Amino acid sequence: QVQLVESGGGLVQAGDSLRLSCGWTGRTGSVGGMAWFRQTPGKEREFVATTNWLGKRTRYSDSVKGRFTISRDNDARTLYLQMNALKPEDTGVYYCGASEGEAYDWRESEYSFWGQGTQVTVST
């Protein structure tokens, strides 16, 4: 069974940066593509960024493209999300998702495992 634990959230001002981390445990080879999603109260979880197993392929939502960077260190079993030029609309709970396959997909249904989330709050 794969377990994911996010960290790095916090309260920042608009224009600041944050780096989120997601550590995973489980059987070697059980984690393939991974992604970050976020959710605000009253809204569905939305796609932020994804990367494949090697970290060579990435996709981003239009709202974060050019400001956020997803990366991973498989030896350290950690997924990252570097968030720059943060805006108040980036506020939400950020979740890390992991797929058992190679998919690096924007669809939430492609990910079998999820962390508990970490809160990011961006003030004006």
Side-chain angles (χ1 to χ4, degrees), residues 6-14 16-21 36-41 48 67-68 81-95 117-123:
E6 302 98 334
S7 61
L11 172 63
V12 296
Q13 293 186 328
D16 285 351
S17 298
L18 271 179
R19 187 175 81 157
L20 305 183
S21 299
W36 290 98
F37 284 71
R38 66 187 181 191
Q39 188 171 25
T40 53
V48 175
R67 299 188 298 122
F68 291 11
L81 184 68
Q82 178 66 43
M83 305 186 294
N84 298 329
L86 282 161
K87 304 175 181 180
E89 49 264 45
D90 294 319
T91 294
V93 178
Y94 282 69
Y95 295 92
T118 186
Q119 176 71 45
V120 173
T121 304
V122 185
S123 65

Side-chain angles (χ1 to χ4, degrees), residues 61-114:
S61 68
D62 288 343
S63 62
V64 307
K65 197 174 296 182
R67 299 188 298 122
F68 291 11
T69 302
I70 188 171
S71 63
R72 63 193 292 169
D73 181 343
N74 290 334
D75 290 335
R77 295 191 169 200
T78 304
L79 177 74
Y80 301 101
L81 184 68
Q82 178 66 43
M83 305 186 294
N84 298 329
L86 282 161
K87 304 175 181 180
E89 49 264 45
D90 294 319
T91 294
V93 178
Y94 282 69
Y95 295 92
C96 167
S99 167
E100 295 176 274
E102 257 299 295
Y104 59 112
D105 202 289
W106 59 269
R107 291 171 293 183
E108 187 177 349
S109 59
E110 291 295 317
Y111 301 94
S112 304
F113 308 104
W114 294 93

Side-chain angles (χ1 to χ4, degrees), residues 46-67:
E46 66 170 346
F47 167 72
V48 175
T50 183
T51 184
N52 71 335
W53 162 246
L54 290 176
K56 298 295 186 182
R57 297 183 178 183
T58 59
R59 288 178 180 167
Y60 297 91
S61 68
D62 288 343
S63 62
V64 307
K65 197 174 296 182
R67 299 188 298 122

